[in-house]
Amino acid sequence: MQYISTRGEAPSLGFSDALLAGLARDGGLYVPAQWPQFSKRDIRAMRGKSYQDIAFTVLQPFVDGEIPDDQFRAMIDAAYGTFRHPAVVPLVQTGANSFIMELFHGPTLAFKDVAMQLLARLMDHVLRERGQRATIVGATSGDTGGAAIDAFAGRDNTDIFILFPHGRVSPVQQRQMTTSDAGNVRALAIEGNFDDCQNLVKAMFNDMSFRDRVRLSGVNSINWARIMAQIVYYFTSAIALGAPDRKVSFTVPTGNFGDIFAGYCAKRMGLPVAKLVVATNENDILARTLRSGRYEMRPVVPTTSPSMDIAISSNFERLLFDAFDRDADAVRQCMSGLRQSGAFTIDPDALKAIKKEFGAGKATQRQAAAAIKDMLEQAGYLLDPHTASGVHVSRRFEKPRAPMVTLATAHPAKFPGAVKSASGIDPALPSWLSDLMHREETYERLQPDLEEVETYIARNARAAA
Ligand SMILES: Cc1ncc(COP(=O)(O)O)c(C=O)c1O
Ligand SMILES: N[C@@H](CCOP(=O)(O)O)C(=O)O
């Protein structure tokens, strides 16, 4: 399997190279040259199989023999052995045809663990085989950072630097990033918002001399392997609910468009998905774009679902590439419009193609809080504010015959303030994190300044030449 850039000006790469590259050298994002196909028969054959078995079957075509099967399987088993639920991502029924898929049973209580636990093992393997070391940088609005730090802590071949927006993540999220005692981990508190952090990461990837000097690698969902690992749970949940003989819809609390793009990939691979519904908070660039066809940045407003407080959704570029029939020139034009004027317009045919697959809606903070309260009263189930945004939006898209699965992207205990004010309940952290708020914090405060951040990283990265 080859991976090609959405901007068409970077070399195509095999799996291991795309894994280590993160962002393509032309600023684009890697996608598979073709979508692997699973027939109804193939999907039926997955019924009754474990999460790990299905992960191996679904992901094998992407890895395409670059990692021996037995070693790849062992990585899958180890990655999902860190989850505290035997089903890995269990489904909970909350209404006649409504389900919640709990993606938060991993070590840091957010869906990011699903991909990050596998990604760290894949990267470690490839680097070890090549006798190389890499410097990983990541931007986080709260969850990616903690998950990446947990997954990469103590690994010999990587140093990891996580940029988070100072004062804009929840106290639990911050401590998951700042209390690691591993020598290869650095948490950097940037005086700005998530988009400043994401822009710094992209600027580091586009600074070729820095990129090569420190052997830069990325763990944000700009890295194809992040999306790839998330495809699996669309398969497992749809199969549990009757696929391929019944279509299933998904509502996904969305920020960077990575998680829902994985659902789109699953559909392109043959999974019968009825609708993919984007749920945003007040930072609703995606809901606005799907309505009007105009992708237009606006300043970010802080909300009770901070991990979705994002102005630019990186992975939307991957969807555009497909909607433009893989015309990289058209993608480049949009991205240059975005750089120059903070906006671009999607042509009507591409917008029609997108609307065929996706629905979208926004939940205000009040609506998300109301969803937390209702769900507790009606189903005795406690939502976190991100999942609650999803539940609010999903209600508009529920259909009598197609099951609707809302992705529960984080555990309520990561956001105790918002959950308590909506429900009166103070959600407790699980036992393995019960001392988190008493652990000692270490982090560096930096300005959103490329030179300052690069200098800090180059000084502290062991891979720096
Ligand atoms: C809890 C939570 N929900 C939803 C999202 C949005 O996911 P994505 O950025 O993949 O759209 C994030 C962050 O990415 C998150 O941490
Ligand atoms: N919401 C994310 C933002 C980064 O997204 P990613 O999926 O591209 O890593 C977070 O919690 O950090």
Side-chain angles (χ1 to χ4, degrees), residues 161-175:
F161 297 83
I162 293 294
L163 283 62
F164 70 91
H166 193 215
R168 291 179 180 240
V169 299
S170 82
V172 172
Q173 288 177 315
Q174 173 160 326
R175 281 172 178 269

Side-chain angles (χ1 to χ4, degrees), residues 250-320:
F250 293 91
T251 302
V252 187
T254 302
N256 234 352
F257 204 76
D259 204 4
I260 195 158
F261 186 74
Y264 168 82
C265 301
K267 187 168 184 183
R268 295 302 307 263
M269 292 162 70
L271 189 71
V273 173
K275 203 83 181 166
L276 289 161
V277 180
V278 171
T280 71
N281 62 22
E282 278 95 339
N283 299 291
D284 61 345
I285 184 165
L286 290 167
R288 283 185 281 114
T289 305
L290 261 79
R291 213 170 39 239
S292 67
R294 181 119 180 109
Y295 186 95
E296 192 168 33
M297 273 169 65
R298 287 194 190 152
V300 175
V301 291
T303 72
T304 47
S305 46
S307 300
M308 287 154 63
D309 292 348
I310 290 178
I312 303 181
S313 293
S314 296
N315 287 285
F316 196 64
E317 178 168 343
R318 286 186 161 117
L319 179 67
L320 281 178

Side-chain angles (χ1 to χ4, degrees), residues 105-140:
H105 292 281
T108 68
L109 312 180
F111 79 98
K112 308 287 178 169
D113 291 320
V114 177
M116 213 59 88
Q117 288 295 328
L118 186 59
L119 181 70
R121 288 168 170 84
L122 288 166
M123 272 198 184
D124 214 33
H125 170 89
V126 172
L127 289 168
R128 198 175 333 106
E129 290 288 299
R130 294 181 175 189
Q132 289 174 356
R133 202 183 266 291
T135 302
I136 292 171
V137 294
T140 188

Side-chain angles (χ1 to χ4, degrees), residues 112 139-145 194 198 219-221 226 256 307 310:
K112 308 287 178 169
T140 188
S141 53
D143 286 329
T144 293
F194 168 72
Q198 179 156 258
V219 291
N220 279 106
S221 54
R226 279 275 313 279
N256 234 352
S307 300
I310 290 178

